[in-house]
Amino acid sequence: MTSRPEAEQEAIPTTVSKKEDIAAEPNGAKRKVFVRTYGCQMNVYDSERMADVLAPEGYQSTEDMEDADLVILNTCHIREKAAEKVYSELGRIRKVKEERAKSGKDMMVGVAGCVAQAEGEEISRRAPIVDLVVGPQSYQKLPGLLDEAKKGRKVVETEFDIDAKFDHLSERAAKPVMKRAPSAFLTVQEGCDKFCTFCVVPYTRGAEVSRSVAQIVDEAEQMAASGVREVTLLGQNVNAYHGEAADGSTWGLGRLLRRLAEVDGIDRLRYTTSHPRDMDDDLIKAHRDLGSLMPYLHLPVQSGSDKILKAMNRRHTRDEYFRLIDRIREAAPGLALSGDFIVGFPGETDQDFQDTMDLIRRVEYGSAFSFKYSQRPGTPGATMDGQVPEDVKSARLAELQALVSEQQQAFNASRLGMTFDVLLERKGRNPGQLVGKSPWLQPVQLDAPEDLIGSIQAVEIVKIGSNSLFGRLIAGQDETDDFGVLPTSAA
Ligand code: 5AD
Ligand code: SF4
C-alpha cells in the first residue's frame, strides 16, 4: 500500500525540494543543489537535512539536474544491483556535466548514503566524475567536505561519528522553516545491532544509537510550528529506541510516544520500522492508550518457518510472533498490520515457504512488502549453503504477492461505508481533488477545497480503488473516536 519498508532499493527516486529556508551566497548569487534519494524513509529524512545543512552555504534546492551546481545521489544498499544502479546513474550525470561544461558551468558530484558507506573510495576510482563520497554519519560535515573537494581533492568521508551527526542535524532543524508538508519524518534512532544474516544495515548504518528525548521533542515542536500534523518516527530498528531523558533516565519508544502525544499541533504519530523482539509491554500499551498513535504497525517477520527464522538470526519463533500479534490486537483491536517478507533465503524448502504462506493467512495483513533474497556481500547469508535458484525465488514471490494482494484488497474493501478522519495532504491529479491519508496509511482521494490541505477531516468512504480509497467530505463532523472512526458501520 503506501508505507515503504525500513529500507527499500527499488523505490522511485525522489528529489528534495525545499524552497523555503534558502540562504544566499555572500555575494548574493545562489548555487543550486539537486538531491536524488533512493531507498528508505531515513534517506528521505537525511536528504532533507542535507539540504538544510547546505542552505546557509548558499545552496538552493532544484528539481532540475541540468540546473544544478551540485548533484548528490543519496543511495541505498539494501538489495541487489544497488551499486550498479548508482554507477549507471553516474554515467548519465557525466553527460549532463559535460553539457554544462560547454557553457562554462561547473558541476560537482557527490555520492551519499549506504552505497557510499559500503563502497567508499571504490566509487571515485570507478567513476572519476565523483568529487565527494560521504557516508550517512557525516552529512553535518558537508560544507567543509565540499570546500575540500573544490580544491580538486577527491574526498571520501565514511567515518562513524553518529553523535556529531545528530547534534548538528537538530541544530539545523531548529531553524525556523516557513511551511512544511502536513506529514513529516523524524529520525529518533539510527543503526542496528541485530545482525540478521541477510541484512547490510548493521554494516552501513553502524551500531544502534538513539537521540535524546529533548532533541526529538524540540524537533517535533518545531515541526508543529511549521504546519506538520503527522510525525512518523524513524529508525532502522525504531522500537529499540532507548534515548536519554532530561533527568538522565532512559526512555523507551512507548514513553517517547506518550511525550510526543502532548506536543500541541501534532495530531498523528507513527513509527517505523520495528523488530518483533523489541515490541515491549509499554509500547503495546501506548497503542491502547494514545488516540494520536495511528492504528497501523509495520512489523516485519521475514519468514514463517522456524528453521529459516533461526538461520536469519531473527531470534524469535513463529509462535512467539503469533503470540505477540495477539497481544497487540488485544490492546488495539482496530490496528492493521504490515510486514516484510523474504523468499528464497538459503536453505528455504517448499515446506518452509508454505509455512510463510500459512503465517500470512493466519495473521491477515493490511499490506506487506516482499522481496527475493539477495546475497549482500559481507553478510553471513551470502556464503551460506543452499542458495535458492532464481526461478524458484520468482515463483515463490509471485505466489506470496498474490496472497498479500488479496488480503490488501480485502482490507481496503472493509473500509467501504466507514467514516473516519483523513489528513488532507496535497492536491490530487484532477482539479478540485485532494489526496489524504487514512489512519491505516491508505491514500484517500476526495473533492475538497485546497485551503483544507493540512487539516484533518471526517470523510466517508464511498468507493474502493485498486490503490486508494475514494471519499466524501462530511462537513462539520468532528465527533470521531480515538482513531477518528465514526460509529457508522461498514456497508
Ligand atoms: N535480500 C532481500 N530482501 C532484503 N531485505 C533486507 N535485506 C535483504 C536482502 N539481502 C528486506 C527485508 C527488510 C526490508 C527492508 O528489505 O525484508 O525488512
Ligand atoms: Fe537489518 Fe535485521 Fe537490523 Fe532490520 S533488524 S535493520 S533486518 S539487521
Side-chain angles (χ1 to χ4, degrees):
M1 202 158 6
T2 47
S3 124
R4 295 152 77 197
E6 59 193 311
E8 157 184 311
Q9 181 207 322
E10 288 102 17
I12 302 159
T14 54
T15 54
V16 171
S17 167
K18 276 176 75 79
K19 302 228 164 33
E20 65 279 357
D21 198 16
I22 290 162
E25 263 188 301
N27 64 8
K30 294 234 175 74
R31 287 174 286 181
K32 301 248 176 77
V33 55
F34 171 90
V35 186
R36 174 160 283 167
T37 310
Y38 297 87
C40 63
Q41 295 100 331
M42 181 140 340
N43 268 7
V44 174
Y45 177 90
D46 280 351
S47 291
E48 287 174 4
R49 296 294 82 78
M50 280 193 256
D52 282 348
V53 168
L54 291 169
E57 307 298 309
Y59 281 99
Q60 173 178 353
S61 292
T62 174
E63 291 178 25
D64 181 5
M65 190 195 288
E66 280 81 28
D67 204 25
D69 305 286
L70 169 65
V71 171
I72 298 178
L73 299 183
N74 191 6
T75 60
C76 171
H77 203 233
I78 196 86
R79 281 178 296 277
E80 214 155 8
K81 299 197 194 108
E84 291 317 309
K85 279 188 187 171
V86 171
Y87 287 118
S88 65
E89 180 67 9
L90 287 170
R92 282 192 289 276
I93 294 172
R94 183 164 55 88
K95 296 205 180 90
V96 178
K97 183 173 168 136
E98 285 164 2
E99 270 313 301
R100 275 176 62 94
K102 285 182 196 159
S103 46
K105 291 191 219 144
D106 195 19
M107 178 191 261
M108 297 195 64
V109 180
V111 177
C114 293
V115 174
Q117 189 67 40
E119 298 267 302
E121 277 173 23
E122 178 66 13
I123 297 180
S124 30
R125 242 197 316 273
R126 269 186 68 179
I129 61 150
V130 173
D131 304 287
L132 174 68
V133 176
V134 54
Q137 272 71 33
S138 304
Y139 299 150
Q140 79 286 356
K141 298 185 192 156
L142 264 176
L145 298 173
L146 278 172
D147 286 345
E148 283 294 302
K150 276 181 203 145
K151 292 178 195 152
R153 194 168 81 78
K154 294 279 175 199
V155 176
V156 177
E157 180 63 62
T158 50
E159 290 289 304
F160 278 104
D161 187 6
I162 197 158
D163 289 340
K165 168 181 174 168
F166 281 153
D167 286 350
H168 194 92
L169 291 187
S170 56
E171 236 172 71
R172 281 296 313 146
K175 293 251 154 100
V177 276
M178 299 301 287
K179 181 101 184 108
R180 297 191 52 156
S183 180
F185 297 125
L186 200 174
T187 294
V188 301
Q189 175 277 345
E190 191 166 349
C192 183
D193 295 338
K194 291 276 188 300
F195 289 94
C196 300
T197 52
F198 52 82
C199 184
V200 286
V201 166
Y203 310 94
T204 56
R205 292 277 176 167
E208 236 173 75
V209 181
S210 296
R211 295 175 76 183
S212 71
V213 171
Q215 275 185 351
I216 295 165
V217 172
D218 274 2
E219 193 167 340
E221 284 172 349
Q222 189 58 48
M223 285 176 168
S226 38
V228 172
R229 308 285 308 268
E230 173 179 272
V231 172
T232 302
L233 307 182
L234 292 183
Q236 267 93 25
N237 196 176
V238 73
N239 57 345
Y241 176 80
H242 56 286
E244 196 182 331
D247 62 1
S249 63
T250 301
W251 286 18
L253 190 64
R255 185 103 191 255
L256 180 70
L257 285 162
R258 283 172 213 277
R259 174 67 188 85
L260 291 173
E262 290 167 5
V263 173
D264 250 4
I266 301 296
D267 300 310
R268 291 182 156 197
L269 291 166
R270 304 178 183 276
Y271 60 93
T272 196
T273 285
S274 297
H275 192 292
R277 291 265 305 198
D278 294 315
M279 283 308 295
D280 64 19
D281 282 346
D282 191 47
L283 183 53
I284 295 174
K285 281 194 196 125
H287 278 282
R288 183 195 63 193
D289 300 340
L290 298 178
S292 55
L293 182 54
M294 290 293 98
Y296 175 93
L297 178 61
H298 184 61
L299 192 62
V301 64
Q302 315 293 358
S303 169
S305 149
D306 277 338
K307 183 188 91 192
I308 297 297
L309 285 170
K310 193 161 194 307
M312 287 175 162
N313 192 32
R314 294 290 291 180
R315 294 188 276 167
H316 65 78
T317 62
R318 79 187 243 126
D319 269 351
E320 282 163 346
Y321 183 76
F322 286 139
R323 283 206 294 274
L324 174 62
I325 299 299
D326 286 347
R327 281 168 53 221
I328 295 168
R329 285 191 160 145
E330 204 176 305
L335 180 141
L337 278 162
S338 142
D340 290 346
F341 296 92
I342 296 178
V343 298
F345 186 79
E348 187 187 74
T349 61
D350 275 339
Q351 184 54 52
D352 294 319
F353 172 66
Q354 287 311 325
D355 287 349
T356 301
M357 294 291 282
D358 176 69
L359 178 143
I360 295 172
R361 277 187 208 103
R362 283 170 64 167
V363 172
E364 288 190 37
Y365 289 89
S367 71
F369 302 89
S370 44
F371 315 98
K372 288 192 267 189
Y373 171 67
S374 138
Q375 286 169 278
R376 310 314 295 137
T379 60
T383 49
M384 280 181 186
D385 290 341
Q387 299 290 332
V388 175
E390 214 42 41
D391 57 336
V392 175
K393 286 186 204 170
S394 300
R396 287 179 187 167
L397 187 69
E399 198 178 328
L400 189 152
Q401 288 186 337
L403 175 59
V404 161
S405 159
E406 218 175 85
Q407 294 191 347
Q408 180 172 324
Q409 299 307 322
F411 179 69
N412 286 353
S414 71
R415 308 295 97 167
L416 187 64
M418 276 188 168
T419 297
F420 47 75
D421 282 350
V422 171
L423 172 60
L424 300 177
E425 292 187 308
R426 58 192 153 84
K427 285 197 261 182
R429 212 173 295 152
N430 304 324
Q433 200 181 52
L434 299 186
V435 183
K437 201 189 289 154
S438 82
W440 306 276
L441 215 55
Q442 297 144 303
V444 180
Q445 302 192 32
L446 68 161
D447 288 336
E450 216 177 303
D451 61 2
L452 288 186
I453 291 179
S455 71
I456 295 175
Q457 301 289 337
V459 171
E460 182 189 1
I461 301 305
V462 294
K463 200 175 112 188
I464 307 295
S466 49
N467 291 310
S468 51
L469 312 178
F470 294 86
R472 163 175 93 76
L473 210 55
I474 308 285
Q477 179 61 264
D478 54 5
E479 287 297 306
T480 50
D481 73 6
D482 269 359
F483 297 146
V485 183
L486 271 177
T488 48
S489 61

